[in-house]
Amino acid sequence: MTSSFRDQLTAGRRAMAHLVHVWHERNGWSHKVLPALAECLDLGRVHSSQISNLRNGKLVSPSPEVFFALGKVNQALSRGLENIESQILSVHPELHRSLQESAIAVEGNDNNPLSAGDFFEIFVGLASLPSSFDWFIEEAEASVLSAALADYLCKGRSWRMCREQVMSAYPVSKKQRRDRFEAVMAGLKDYTAEELDGELLDLHATNKLLNTNNLQGADDFLENLRQRGLLLQDQEKLEIIFSD
């Protein structure tokens, strides 16, 4: 009983860490955004250090106010920035600019925003992650998936040949993320596992625009990338063998 209880809590903390870091990656937020928003809207108090420790799986016993603030802020975001920007703009213009770039809420499988209770149940292992967050990309596979992504979206063509088409299909407007995506596609850098977790839904959306007959879900898209990565690794091994 004790082992099972501890395992459940450990799994819950890991799931919550995964959710928080993917949420931040998808929006391109710093750890200061959620605390500042909660304060501006008077929705409870959560410190940036608590957000950081949640993301790292190191916050073992957060207070109920942490979950209250996360739930209320998430629900406020789901109603649209236009409904809260008058409360933010005059007090915290920098926060407003950040939210204008991206203010995606976390939704459950029923398409409703997660509440304080939902966040708490995930944290203690009583509830699973929403399906749109329920994948764990390991750091060891990130570089292989990055190479596979470029090969997959370009359909084996050079980046110069497909750059305009692929960049037009990538649905993100934030310059930092667009620059990072282009660098990965050009083979100049690799995504980290954390970055891939946050990018996956938008990469999947890019693929759907480029391959309109492809009806696969995000999970299938990730699995296809993994299979493509294995093929690329095998090709590299063969090239090394024959070059010797």
Side-chain angles (χ1 to χ4, degrees), residues 8 12 67 115-128:
Q8 180 176 314
F67 299 107
S115 66
D118 294 324
F119 281 114
F120 175 75
E121 288 190 346
I122 290 170
F123 180 78
V124 297
L126 291 175
S128 300

Side-chain angles (χ1 to χ4, degrees), residues 51-69:
I51 296 297
S52 177
N53 285 330
L54 271 178
R55 181 170 175 160
N56 295 326
K58 296 179 179 178
L59 193 60
V60 178
S61 301
S63 69
E65 192 170 9
V66 170
F67 299 107
F68 180 87

Side-chain angles (χ1 to χ4, degrees), residues 8-188:
Q8 180 176 314
L9 288 178
T10 299
R13 282 199 299 273
R14 183 174 186 239
M16 187 68 179
H18 180 74
L19 185 151
V20 171
H21 96 240
V22 172
W23 191 12
H24 278 72
E25 283 293 330
R26 286 182 186 170
N27 284 295
W29 288 343
S30 74
H31 294 155
K32 297 179 180 179
V33 169
L34 290 176
L37 186 53
E39 184 177 358
C40 281
L41 300 180
D42 193 23
L43 295 176
R45 305 193 78 178
V46 56
H47 301 290
S48 58
S49 61
Q50 291 174 311
I51 296 297
S52 177
N53 285 330
L54 271 178
R55 181 170 175 160
N56 295 326
K58 296 179 179 178
L59 193 60
V60 178
S61 301
S63 69
E65 192 170 9
V66 170
F67 299 107
F68 180 87
L70 288 177
K72 290 298 183 181
V73 164
N74 188 52
Q75 291 174 329
L77 289 174
S78 74
R79 290 191 287 271
L81 181 59
E82 65 276 7
N83 293 308
I84 57 176
E85 60 185 350
S86 62
Q87 298 171 260
I88 303 170
L89 186 55
S90 60
V91 179
H92 207 319
E94 184 178 341
L95 173 63
H96 182 257
R97 284 194 295 272
S98 179
L99 294 174
Q100 276 188 312
E101 290 182 347
S102 187
I104 301 169
V106 183
E107 294 184 345
N109 294 335
D110 57 1
N111 296 321
N112 291 321
L114 296 192
S115 66
D118 294 324
F119 281 114
F120 175 75
E121 288 190 346
I122 290 170
F123 180 78
V124 297
L126 291 175
S128 300
L129 286 168
S131 58
S132 60
F133 284 78
D134 194 15
W135 49 72
F136 290 89
I137 297 172
E138 303 298 339
E139 199 61 53
E141 63 177 340
S143 61
V144 175
L145 289 175
S146 296
L149 176 70
D151 185 70
Y152 195 86
L153 296 183
C154 288
K155 302 176 185 176
R157 296 173 295 167
S158 69
W159 177 235
R160 179 176 293 184
M161 293 292 294
C162 63
R163 177 185 180 278
E164 185 175 345
Q165 181 186 18
V166 174
M167 291 304 297
S168 295
Y170 183 59
V172 176
S173 59
K174 190 165 187 175
K175 185 178 185 302
Q176 180 184 357
R177 287 181 61 191
R178 290 188 69 83
D179 288 346
R180 185 175 65 187
F181 172 69
E182 184 169 5
V184 172
M185 295 299 296
L188 300 177

